Amino acid sequence: MVPAGGLIPVAVRRGPGHGTGMSTVKAQSPGVFYRRPSPDAAPYVSEGGHVDAGQTIALIEAVKTFNPVRAEHSGTVTRIPLDDGAEVSAGQIVVEIEDEQD
């Protein structure tokens, strides 16, 4: 089952003794990646910023529909490998998050 927004968060965990885990969010379908809700608005998040589970962190536009990208876990955004307005392919990583320890 694909969650709303067509994106499936994929958690990648480090081995024991390596601290917190890392989560990656990958695009489930192709589209255009947007880091902000509108051209004049600030980005949803920036590298080094904190996110909460369920928080919108980006949008992907496909067929004139804007689908929110939400953080699956709370943590710190470590990498956003795409520029605002970049074309994204299905399966491409759009955000990396260092998960908070429970």
Side-chain angles (χ1 to χ4, degrees):
M1 181 173 159
V2 175
L7 301 172
I8 298 176
V10 180
V12 179
R13 300 282 178 200
R14 296 181 188 165
H18 291 277
T20 59
M22 296 294 292
S23 296
T24 59
V25 180
K26 298 180 181 182
Q28 192 58 27
S29 61
V32 179
F33 177 80
Y34 293 104
R35 295 184 57 194
R36 56 192 82 233
S38 67
D40 297 331
Y44 286 106
V45 296
S46 297
E47 290 180 2
H50 182 271
V51 295
D52 293 315
Q55 178 180 338
T56 298
I57 54 178
L59 298 172
I60 293 182
E61 177 191 12
V63 195
K64 304 290 183 191
T65 301
F66 291 85
N67 299 299
V69 178
R70 293 191 171 93
E72 180 73 9
H73 304 279
S74 295
T76 302
V77 175
T78 57
R79 187 169 160 246
I80 303 171
L82 300 170
D83 291 327
D84 199 44
E87 294 285 329
V88 64
S89 302
Q92 186 173 356
I93 294 172
V94 296
V95 179
E96 295 178 357
I97 299 170
E98 182 174 353
D99 299 334
E100 290 180 343
Q101 290 182 326
D102 295 329

